[in-house]
Amino acid sequence: MTGVFEPSSLRHSSTVRNTMGGTVFGTSVQAGVINSFHLHLAAQLNPLTPREVMPVPASFTDRVSALWAVTDRLARLPSDTARIVVIRGGSGIGKTTLASRLIHEHQPQFPGGQLYADLRGYAPSGPARTPEVLAQLLRSIRPGAQPTSPEDLGALWRSATAADPDRPVCLLLDNVVRGNQIRPLLPGGPGHLVVVTSRDPLAELAPDGAVRYELGPFDESAVRDYLSACLGDERTAPDREAIAELTRLSAGSPLALALAVTELAADPDQSLAGLLTALSHPHRQTSTPHNPQETAVTTALARAYQELPSGTALVYRRMGHLFPLDLDAATTAAACNLSQAAATQALQDLREVHLLEAGSTEADPVRGPLYRFHDAARGHAANLAAQEDGADALAAALRRTLDFYLQTTTAAERRITPTHRHLSRDYVYPPAEPIQFSDDAPALAWLKAQRHNLLAAVRAADAARLDSCVWQQAHSLWPLLRESHDYTLWFKTHELGIQAARRCGDRVAERELLGTMGIALRGAGRYSEAITAYTRVLEMACADGDSRSESQTRHELGATYLAAGQLQQAQPLLVEARALRESLGASAESERDWIYYRRGIALTDICLGQVHLGHGQANDAIATLTSAREVLLQLPVPDRFDAARALAFLGRAYARGGDLETAKECGRQAAAEFSTRGSVRWGAHSLEMLGQTAQDAGRHEQAAELFTEALALYKLISPRDADRVRERLRRAR
């Protein structure tokens, strides 16, 4: 588009009208909306009881004595503590299966749910980081939680699990390598059970009273029972000598036996004796065994791999080499340069021969069926990739995977946040079947479902020194970060992204990432660090002559001073930002740019309205906030979230001006709009501001009730906000 874009419907919308019309309130709201609002958001913060532990297969064999022994020792522990069980054994010995059976056996004792986390202690990429695991666990029981630091994360996890003493949880922590991985993850309150699996003894947990159980291999009787359960008596019972030999060759490893059973089931004409001949062939054995079970598992994996078709074998070793923590068809297709149909079939085939495990109890609603590697299988696959694929092929597979994630997150970013500054994207292998998003909701759902893999992608790109991939991926995550306030993801991706942008010498990318890092720092209450970041961005923007970046940064710097309570420093920056945005918007040559500046002016006006409130200028605040709300609702794609924010502050402005009835009406309407959007933090903030309005009217009992409701929500999502409202509640009483 050329020339100046000037929509007649919006060009004059900055005219201030100090009235409360339909664009402000919309449909009238009854007083009871506050209670329904509270209940609606409380339900979102208390989702369905999580059942994340995988079901135990019907072929579960032999471990009855182990269950009795662990259960008996657990019964002796005091119930007012978080009890810990450590199941130790070699790779493939059945630790996770026994842990799952133990949890399912005791499910009625843990109505708070069953949670699962793989700590990846033996993964080639290294163990999972504690903040990531805490964030995952917290999302399972408090999806709206927004802690602002690792300390807050741990405190909120313990508070959430201690909130209802009648609903203890059971937690399975898989593949733990050190005892200090466990302690920060212990839930708060009494009655919880933490089941840990490890190849190591974790002796450092003994002083904590942990029940430690050494899981041994199947004996010959157990092997016979397992084969009978899987293949039937008629095929296994007559061949007792063969069963004894299979017990020896498999070293009683359930994983090695599962791979053998899969091969026998696939060929009904193959005898057990014939399989044993193949298993005992010298070239099947590993040369440097660590222990009999690991040797048996490695041998069984090697045999299963050799039976795979070439395309399926490629998927196995390539995906074992790459960074995704779990697999779906779309990711696998892009990484291995396959069609999604072929990738789907390969994943199913690998699952059927036990080279992959199911990654969840049911198909993900966004990504479809999920798969994961057993830690032994991932190590085996990665070693095969190093041996059989050249460095160029593995580098190409990594880049294909990174390009898939970058292309998909960018599509989501431009769908959900079209005014976010478009920066370059450097694709080497754009996916042949890219994921398309027809609406914001599925785009955001995909980002949320992949967040663990997205962090892994940034780390993998950084390790490979693919700097453009690092900063571009970090930049594309903006809609997920804006929505989720996942500070663990936010800080880590942006730290790596800023460093990568500097190495690339891309000042625009560095400025953009420093700016969004500043938003995270401000949200975490780290105001001085945010001010430092924005000051640097402003210096760079002015030096580069980038007026758009300058206007945005003046706004963000002013908003940070405002959040820190420094009104004198905030006001001139916000006034300058508004004037610059007005000037840039007047000369915009595209509809997209014009909308960007028009919305930006309204967002700055929301901040200026708060400045007016801080100075006691109620009428100026009313005029400014009313105008901001009207503009946001009249955009081609209305910004209803920020319009609701304007309305919430407008309620405070009317209260300061003495019009308490209009103030309450604004507050109730804002609460209803946040309820519709499911915004927990701003919903709680609306209740808090309504409480302030009631307090202004001298209705201290009503104020206390509203502060109590706000506190109930804040306690579930933000310890820092909860502390502030506790103080308000104390004063209201």
Side-chain angles (χ1 to χ4, degrees), residues 43 250 494:
S250 68
H494 276 55

Side-chain angles (χ1 to χ4, degrees), residues 247-259:
T247 303
R248 185 186 69 80
L249 289 173
S250 68
S253 164
L255 178 56
L257 288 166
L259 292 165

Side-chain angles (χ1 to χ4, degrees), residues 149-213:
S149 69
E151 294 75 20
D152 274 355
L153 193 61
L156 194 50
W157 160 246
R158 290 186 292 274
S159 297
T161 48
D164 188 347
D166 295 326
R167 292 180 60 79
V169 301
C170 192
L171 177 60
L172 173 51
L173 301 178
D174 224 354
N175 296 308
V176 174
V177 72
R178 295 184 304 274
N180 61 7
Q181 289 181 285
I182 301 301
R183 292 190 180 92
L185 306 178
L186 294 177
H192 307 292
L193 176 63
V194 179
V195 184
V196 176
T197 72
S198 180
R199 298 183 200 175
D200 299 289
L202 304 186
E204 60 269 38
L205 293 178
D208 298 335
V211 172
R212 295 187 299 141
Y213 186 84

Side-chain angles (χ1 to χ4, degrees), residues 305 308 312-317 319 327 345-357 371 373:
Y305 173 74
L308 295 175
T312 307
L314 181 143
V315 168
Y316 174 71
R317 63 180 187 269
M319 299 315 294
L327 310 179
Q345 188 61 57
L347 292 171
Q348 291 174 352
D349 290 347
L350 290 169
R351 172 68 183 92
E352 288 174 2
V353 297
H354 289 272
L355 290 176
L356 286 178
E357 301 173 340
Y371 304 88
F373 281 93

Side-chain angles (χ1 to χ4, degrees), residues 261 297 663 673:
V261 162
V297 167
E673 292 180 15

Side-chain angles (χ1 to χ4, degrees), residues 29 67 136 214 250-251 308 458 483 533 555 569 590 621 668 708:
V29 180
L67 285 170
Q136 173 196 330
E214 180 85 20
S250 68
L308 295 175
V458 174
E483 172 73 19
H555 167 88
Q569 291 87 345
S590 72
R668 288 169 179 156
T708 299

